[in-house]
Amino acid sequence: MAFTSYSYLLALIPVIGLYWLIPVNWRRWYLLAVSLLYYATWNVAHTALPLLVCGTAYVCGRRMEQDKDAAGRWMWTGIAAVLAILSVFKYWPFVVENVNAAMGWLGRQGLGPGYTLALPLGISFYTFEAVSYLLDTRQGRTKQARLSDLGLFVLFWPHLMAGPIVRFRELAPQFSKNLRFETGHLLRGLDRLIVGLVQKNLLANNLSAFVDEGFLPQAAATNSFFDNWALAVAFGLQIYFDFSSYSNMAIGVAQMMGITLPENFRFPYHASSPPDFWGRWHMTLSRWIRDYLFFPVNAKYGGAPLPLYGSLIGIMALVGLWHGAGWGYVLWGLMHGVYLVLYRMWERVEEKHAWAKAWWAGWGWRVFTITAVVAAWVPFRAASLDQSLTMLTTMAAPQSFRVAYSVNQYLLTMIIAAYCVVEPWLAARFELPAKGEIRPPVAWLRPAAYAALLFIFLIFDDRDVQFIYFQF
């Protein structure tokens, strides 16, 4: 069941109600059963994979605790096994295709025909969480978990499909807390859930028709400079509101049960620099990459410039590959790696020259960041690397400025972009206090706001558009 389906939304009422009614020591098992059942509604056979990942992480983590001398070996065994599961489903067909192409170019026999497997939903997310558990256990940040706790950590349904990516030490202890029901839990959760529903149907889905049409392979050769920039902006807005809506709904549903998931977005198109963008976009992935890849790699080189720059580009290429088995994703990651390197180089200029800290430099980086991020969405969305390069070339060296699509599509993109500009202000006006009583007029206006937003969700519920990050 998709988060936006009526069956899911109606099922939340008894599921969350029963959660608060049952004894605390039953809640872990209840959530585990509900999570398995939810995953099975997508594909019963695929439920074996997260269970296999959990079992692998549990056995290797247990061996790390029991055999300290071989802890490193068991950690790497577990990581290799988890990544092998991911690779079999996500990357092996990509490897076979490219090896066959290379061998054919050399006039030699390749690996033969590959295979195609349905990509299990959430596999990129729950494998990363299992890897983080193994690394944290090895480094003493997490103690050996019970199998049920580890299973619930990975399978907890609100974040199972597309994050936020959580750490075991952040999430697992919350399942054992003796929380009593509070109206604030429900209202804060409903805030996020309803906002997510509206973001998905009103904003993300309404951009999908323009994006799908404009990114057709045959359109790349005829799109103008204006078309391609408009499409890049439209897709940048679509993927933001699509993924942000999922994160809001996940955080909201968990909050209704008194469980806190980490924030995943913080108005990324308001970023002042490339590093700031990654401090606002998919924040839990950025944190994972920083802690488990970037810091360990650079600790070996003491922050020396060349290794730092090389690691930024290489790691961001891996981030692109994590998103999908295709060269377009790799190019997207490489572009962001180059952006980060350019900013690190500028920081060295700032250390030596006062003029580099002038106000115009800050605004220059803001303009560069939003422009560069939008351009990088092209290879992320395009059907092939050739299409990406064709569109990027047109965007950099315009040959035509004509308009090929309905004017309404461009106007819709502009309106949603304008909303994105004022989004932080609107979010601050709607936010509930972190603690304390909810007083009038906020309490009085809330039912009317919920009704209006749900009405908007329903009248725009005419497109069955899957969440973009489900394909990763």
Side-chain angles (χ1 to χ4, degrees):
M1 294 182 289
F3 277 12
T4 54
S5 68
Y6 302 153
S7 54
Y8 175 79
L9 296 173
L10 290 174
L12 282 178
I13 299 172
V15 166
I16 293 174
L18 185 56
Y19 171 83
W20 286 111
L21 291 174
I22 62 177
V24 173
N25 58 347
W26 291 7
R27 288 177 181 172
R28 285 187 304 111
W29 296 103
Y30 172 72
L31 289 177
L32 184 58
V34 170
S35 298
L36 277 169
L37 180 62
Y38 176 74
Y39 197 73
T41 63
W42 294 91
N43 190 314
V44 175
H46 283 171
T47 56
L49 285 172
L51 293 174
L52 177 60
V53 168
C54 290
T56 301
Y58 173 76
V59 170
C60 292
R62 187 174 178 82
R63 292 300 299 159
M64 278 191 275
E65 290 284 324
Q66 295 173 342
D67 189 354
K68 300 293 185 182
D69 294 335
R73 185 171 72 247
W74 281 108
M75 179 193 75
W76 288 113
T77 299
I79 291 174
V82 169
L83 294 180
I85 294 171
L86 175 64
S87 299
V88 164
F89 282 88
K90 190 166 185 176
Y91 297 111
W92 181 246
F94 175 68
V95 171
V96 170
E97 177 186 351
N98 284 277
V99 168
N100 285 343
M103 297 302 285
W105 184 76
L106 294 172
R108 299 180 181 179
Q109 186 175 359
L111 297 176
Y115 60 84
T116 301
L117 292 174
L119 187 65
L121 291 173
I123 189 169
S124 295
F125 291 88
Y126 61 71
T127 51
F128 260 37
E129 288 166 343
V131 168
S132 73
Y133 167 75
L134 291 168
L135 289 167
D136 285 348
T137 302
R138 176 69 179 94
Q139 295 167 4
R141 291 194 289 258
T142 293
K143 294 184 178 180
Q144 169 63 32
R146 292 178 295 187
L147 182 58
S148 59
D149 286 340
L150 186 58
L152 184 52
F153 158 66
V154 170
L155 287 161
F156 184 48
W157 91 86
H159 79 96
L160 173 61
M161 301 298 190
I165 299 173
V166 295
R167 314 285 175 88
F168 181 83
R169 63 183 184 273
E170 295 173 336
L171 184 60
Q174 297 188 64
F175 296 131
S176 301
K177 284 185 177 179
N178 186 9
L179 288 179
R180 294 183 179 181
F181 174 77
E182 295 179 8
T183 304
H185 292 315
L186 184 62
L187 291 180
R188 292 184 187 90
L190 279 173
D191 280 359
R192 302 298 288 268
L193 175 62
I194 293 174
V195 167
L197 290 170
V198 174
Q199 283 180 317
K200 175 61 175 169
N201 277 9
L202 176 64
L203 303 176
N205 287 2
N206 274 310
L207 288 165
S208 63
F210 180 36
V211 171
D212 290 346
E213 182 182 3
F215 276 93
L216 288 171
Q218 60 268 28
T222 57
N223 283 345
S224 69
F225 169 86
F226 188 77
D227 293 334
N228 284 334
W229 275 108
L231 286 163
V233 171
F235 178 67
L237 293 169
Q238 181 197 8
I239 194 171
Y240 165 51
F241 286 114
D242 190 278
F243 196 12
S244 177
S245 71
Y246 179 95
S247 296
N248 276 324
M249 285 185 268
I251 292 169
V253 170
Q255 182 64 55
M256 283 193 280
M257 296 179 285
I259 296 168
T260 301
L261 295 179
E263 295 295 334
N264 219 18
F265 290 91
R266 187 169 56 87
F267 316 118
Y269 294 131
H270 288 258
S272 59
S273 66
D276 188 34
F277 174 78
W278 283 102
R280 295 166 174 266
W281 175 275
H282 204 343
M283 294 155 62
T284 55
L285 174 63
S286 301
R287 190 177 54 148
W288 197 101
I289 297 299
R290 179 197 67 194
D291 293 348
Y292 297 116
L293 284 179
F294 183 74
F295 283 170
V297 168
N298 282 279
K300 296 181 179 180
Y301 300 103
L306 289 180
L308 170 65
Y309 301 156
S311 66
L312 282 171
I313 293 174
I315 288 171
M316 290 309 297
L318 290 175
V319 171
L321 194 60
W322 174 82
H323 279 84
W327 290 113
Y329 297 112
V330 176
L331 177 57
W332 172 80
L334 288 171
M335 291 173 73
H336 275 280
V338 171
Y339 303 158
L340 292 170
V341 167
L342 290 174
Y343 189 75
R344 295 302 180 192
M345 294 171 69
W346 177 258
E347 286 182 321
R348 292 183 176 274
V349 174
E350 283 185 319
E351 293 174 0
K352 298 178 181 179
H353 303 284
W355 58 263
K357 299 179 181 179
W359 65 268
W360 54 265
W363 278 102
W365 275 107
R366 283 184 179 274
V367 172
F368 171 82
T369 299
I370 188 64
T371 304
V373 167
V374 167
W377 286 127
V378 170
F380 193 96
R381 176 59 176 81
S384 66
L385 189 58
D386 287 342
Q387 181 185 1
S388 303
L389 297 176
T390 299
M391 293 180 71
L392 288 171
T393 300
T394 303
M395 292 163 70
Q399 297 179 351
S400 170
F401 294 91
R402 60 173 178 72
V403 173
Y405 303 95
S406 168
V407 174
N408 289 337
Q409 303 284 19
Y410 301 99
L411 292 175
L412 176 65
T413 301
M414 291 173 61
I415 291 169
I416 295 178
Y419 168 77
C420 198
V421 171
V422 300
E423 186 186 18
W425 183 85
L426 292 173
R429 302 285 79 75
F430 197 72
E431 187 176 9
L432 283 169
K435 293 183 179 180
E437 185 180 354
I438 303 167
R439 299 179 181 276
V442 174
W444 297 341
L445 294 175
R446 217 148 204 85
Y450 285 161
L453 290 171
L454 285 173
F455 179 71
I456 293 171
F457 160 72
L458 290 171
I459 62 175
F460 283 95
D461 189 36
D462 59 347
R463 287 193 177 95
D464 185 18
V465 182
Q466 190 183 68
F467 287 96
I468 294 172
Y469 263 71
F470 276 18
Q471 65 185 290
F472 306 136

